Amino acid sequence: MSDEVKKANRLVSTKLAKKMVDEYWNFIRTAKEEGKLVCLLTGAAINPFFMVMDIAWLQGNGYASRTAGRHEERVPQQASEARGYVRELCSYARTHIGCSLFTERGVPEGVEAGEIASGMPKPDMMVSFYPSCTSALHWQQSVYRLFGKKIPSFNIIVPFRWGKNGGYMHGQEYQECVAFVVKQLREFVRFLEDVTGRRFDWDRLSELMLYVKQAAILRLEAMALCKAKPAPANFFDWSISLGPVNYLTGWPGTREFYEQLKADVEGRIARGESSVPNEKYRLFWQGIMNWNKIGWLADKFANFDACIVAGAYTHFAFWHEPWAIDPENPLEGIAINFVEHELNQGVPLFADRIVEACREYSVDGLVVHGPRTCKPWTNPQFLLVDDVTKRLGIPAAVFEGDMVDTVYYQDGLIDTKVEAMLEAIAAKRAQIA
Amino acid sequence: MSKILTKLSAVAARPYEAAREWKTEHSGKVIGAFPMHVPCEIAHAAGALPVILQESREPITMANAYIYPFYCGIVRSVADDAARGKLSFLDAAIFGITCTQEFGAAEILRVVAPETPLAVFQLPIALRESWALSEATTMLAKFADIAGGVTGQAVDKGSLANSIRLFNRHRTLMRTIYDLRRGNPGILAAKEMMDIVKSGMVMPRERHLSMLEQLLPELRERKRPSADEVPIFVSGHLCEAPPTEILDLIEEVGGVVVDDDLYHGFRHIATDVRENGNPIEALAEWYLEKNLVVPCPTKVDPEADWHEYLTRAVRLSRAAGVIVLAPKYCDPLFFYYPDVKETLEAQAIPHLLIETEHEAMSIEGMRTRLETFVDTVRHRQQLRLGT
């Protein structure tokens, strides 16, 4: 590793999302004043359904990430710990439950909670939709009980893709899973109609899903440009720019945002401008992002002369199969995107996709982030690492961390493990040479 | 100690030996079921011996190569047993997926025991959604097909109805024993009661039932040993059996366990299956409705609350305090625990949370905490009674 301190060459256009993000959080903050109903969504981005019904949606995991991004997470986490939620529970959940405690019971005297942590509106309805994660259901139920069990709630279950009879996006298991989610989405629409007293406008959903499809395609096209060597952008750029396909799905401006992002990346390729100053290693990130550390990690890997060219979190979810969406009949395409979500795949399916991506992106090694409090992510990791590294003949660096709880993060360990992996890559190259 | 209890305790201590012996004696098939809610009647109706998989007390070794250490004991233990070949006696294993971590165990079995057919079903967790009953019915019907395929003996309505009747009798008899204990606390040690239930999870049910029928008159003769102990309700510990050292400790420090809602306890035996009508449908209904009898924190059910049930159960049992045993990394339990805590505090029911671990536990540290708790509860009782 060089002695010179290097910084990642971050995509400037990611900042364009800030305006939309600020608009959205203002929308949440003022929703009640404007007479809108607020829905707490625990899970994946099915915002267009809420947009159709003029409901303000607040995604619990997104709220927790936002809280952490503003470094306000520790106070609500302490509040939930004081109530009895142990630290091994999902840190998204603990953060969000802490914010919910402030909403329902007020911020205790002497406690200084940040604006976001203390400003969560009380939901009028709750929906859970989290591929493969049972803790999300229990998290939602905890909040449901906290708010007195009075808030109407609905649960959509995404059946897990164990991988029997068929593969990715084909086979009997796949078809059954998609059909089951479609059935639930229809019931979900009836739930929304019951709660709001309004008819669901299917034409409006079609319009929104066309927009979502266009935005998603642009994002995937932009990310695919990182197959170039050196890569013009990296996984941290893509993580930062997830909002518009996550809690901002369908929001005005999201398609234009990804158009700009793609143009930015194309421009870099034309100019020969790379994401890391001196790309020597191309890596794949398996695992979720550490939201409190994202910028810091980007620079760390730049210092290693390593570019994280792709990752499961950004590339195998968040409307990653937009071509499956028929805007005129969008339910099946929506279901497909969540049935084939990264977290909803058994090891054989997931491993195949990682292997394919590593080949497409010319990956030299895997960086495996095991978030301490997220079992859907960590469940398959050791098995995935074993399978993928053997099939590709590449090394892996595995380290524990977390989405939004920094107590599980140890910088020294990451350095040690990543350096060892990079040395292994360098040694193998020297051998081949 | 009763000879029957000694035998049952021996089975509980080495839970897979009885299955291996049965397999050798009968050349039969054994179907393992990961806890908690898969109805074993189906495997029984197919002529198999259903064995509910158990957490071993041995340290985790090989499983550390397959899963992180911050997983609950039963997931790591089952993975470890599988990796070490200790589950090779299984002819199939079924997972009903109670929680996400269970997927981890299933994935590892897929890799380390590829010769063991796996049936992985996501039985409904959200019990009151409109599709829950139909989905449960469909999955249990598929399980019946798989079980029949494993044994070569198809599950038909008649055989399944017979198995349901047997399992109902079995549960009823264990509930009778529970009633005896509630009426005469101390006639069975907490460990003995747990051994009765646990051995019934792994032995041929007919043999276990017969042994309990012989045990019952003996238990009816027993008298409460002492009225001085502090009556305690033990709660929690889903999926995996609590360490017996802790149950013994509660009694050593002056407590007597009068009731529980442990999975290796009342939770497992509380509810019977309807004996009329279509048996698969009856089992699916049982799967949903048992949560109204003893609510499970792994389930999403707006009609049943574990904390409210616990308060009622504690009052009915006349326990003076509650010890909540919580396995480390058990997400469903720990997501629910704060509601239990607030409710017990609001009801002025003393309680103590003890977190258990698969490996290192400080038993002497627990002794101090349990002693203090039991003494505190005793003192409060005395103050209340003016004694």
Side-chain angles (χ1 to χ4, degrees), chain A residues 10 16 36 77 88-89 96 113 115 132 138 169 171 186 190 200 237 248 286 348 368 375 397 411 414:
Chain A
R10 298 175 204 188
L16 294 173
K36 291 190 199 302
Q77 285 174 4
E88 282 91 22
L89 290 172
H96 177 258
E115 187 188 351
S132 103
H138 304 308
M169 289 184 72
R186 290 194 192 285
R190 282 194 283 276
F200 190 82
D237 294 313
L248 287 176
Q286 202 286 334
V368 182
K375 300 301 188 297
D411 187 42
I414 296 176

Side-chain angles (χ1 to χ4, degrees), chain A residues 86 88-89 375, chain B residues 36 55 57 69-76 101 235-243 246 262-264 297-298 306 324-335 337 353-359 361 366:
Chain A
V86 296
E88 282 91 22
L89 290 172
K375 300 301 188 297
Chain B
M36 289 188 277
E55 182 188 10
R57 298 311 303 168
F70 45 83
Y71 273 68
C72 68
I74 183 132
V75 160
R76 290 193 298 134
Q101 292 187 60
S235 178
H237 242 264
L238 315 169
C239 294
E240 48 199 72
I246 298 177
L262 305 171
Y263 175 58
H264 286 72
T298 63
W306 181 37
V324 179
L325 299 179
K328 202 169 173 69
Y329 308 120
C330 178
D331 282 5
L333 195 154
F334 277 111
F335 265 112
Y337 171 69
L353 173 72
I354 297 269
E355 196 173 79
T356 65
E357 295 191 58
H358 180 82
E359 280 122 333
M361 279 191 299
M366 262 182 224

Side-chain angles (χ1 to χ4, degrees), chain A residues 156-183:
Chain A
I156 306 169
I157 304 299
V158 184
F160 191 72
R161 287 276 277 125
W162 181 245
K164 62 182 185 222
N165 58 50
Y168 184 68
M169 289 184 72
H170 72 271
Q172 184 187 346
E173 179 192 79
Y174 161 72
Q175 285 164 7
E176 286 173 357
C177 289
V178 169
F180 182 48
V181 174
V182 169
K183 183 169 107 169

Side-chain angles (χ1 to χ4, degrees), chain A residues 308-324:
Chain A
I308 315 281
V309 294
Y313 182 55
T314 48
H315 288 56
F316 298 165
F318 302 107
W319 308 105
H320 62 296
E321 294 291 350
W323 303 278

Side-chain angles (χ1 to χ4, degrees), chain A residues 156-404:
Chain A
I156 306 169
I157 304 299
V158 184
F160 191 72
R161 287 276 277 125
W162 181 245
K164 62 182 185 222
N165 58 50
Y168 184 68
M169 289 184 72
H170 72 271
Q172 184 187 346
E173 179 192 79
Y174 161 72
Q175 285 164 7
E176 286 173 357
C177 289
V178 169
F180 182 48
V181 174
V182 169
K183 183 169 107 169
Q184 293 176 82
L185 288 174
R186 290 194 192 285
E187 291 199 27
F188 169 52
V189 166
R190 282 194 283 276
F191 166 79
L192 292 176
E193 289 179 332
D194 287 344
V195 174
T196 61
R198 297 195 285 271
R199 289 285 305 273
F200 190 82
D201 184 347
W202 289 97
D203 290 337
R204 179 71 180 126
L205 182 68
S206 292
E207 280 170 24
L208 286 168
M209 288 313 301
L210 172 61
Y211 190 70
V212 169
K213 178 174 180 172
Q214 291 166 346
I217 289 172
L218 286 163
R219 183 182 79 102
L220 292 170
E221 288 175 348
M223 292 199 298
L225 293 170
C226 291
K227 293 175 190 174
K229 295 176 189 177
N234 67 45
F235 170 74
F236 302 106
D237 294 313
W238 305 127
S239 296
I240 289 167
S241 53
L242 274 176
V245 279
N246 188 18
Y247 60 86
L248 287 176
T249 291
W251 193 268
T254 48
R255 184 189 59 203
E256 291 74 17
F257 169 73
Y258 286 117
E259 269 172 1
Q260 184 58 52
L261 203 66
K262 183 182 167 191
D264 190 353
V265 178
E266 285 170 333
R268 284 187 168 200
I269 291 178
R271 295 187 301 272
E273 191 179 328
S274 62
S275 174
V276 303
N278 179 30
E279 181 186 293
K280 283 191 194 162
Y281 309 101
R282 297 170 65 88
L283 306 175
F284 183 95
W285 185 285
Q286 202 286 334
I288 197 170
M289 182 32 49
N290 306 77
W291 294 109
N292 333 62
K293 298 281 188 184
I294 188 167
W296 187 80
L297 278 169
D299 291 338
K300 176 187 277 294
F301 279 91
N303 269 290
F304 285 133
D305 295 329
C307 184
I308 315 281
V309 294
Y313 182 55
T314 48
H315 288 56
F316 298 165
F318 302 107
W319 308 105
H320 62 296
E321 294 291 350
W323 303 278
I325 300 170
D326 171 6
E328 294 307 309
N329 292 293
L331 292 188
E332 189 177 279
I334 292 170
I336 287 169
N337 273 271
F338 296 108
V339 165
E340 300 298 62
H341 186 282
E342 68 212 339
L343 291 182
N344 208 48
Q345 312 268 283
V347 169
L349 291 171
F350 202 170
D352 282 348
R353 293 177 68 200
I354 295 176
V355 165
E356 186 183 338
C358 286
R359 287 185 176 136
E360 285 178 6
Y361 284 83
S362 309
V363 163
D364 303 309
L366 293 183
V367 175
V368 182
H369 167 228
R372 179 64 182 261
T373 68
C374 182
K375 300 301 188 297
W377 272 110
T378 54
N379 258 349
Q381 278 184 336
F382 285 17
L383 299 176
L384 283 173
V385 168
D386 191 53
D387 188 5
V388 172
T389 55
K390 280 179 182 155
R391 284 160 71 175
L392 294 174
I394 60 175
V398 181
F399 63 88
E400 290 172 27
D402 193 66
M403 300 83 76
V404 293

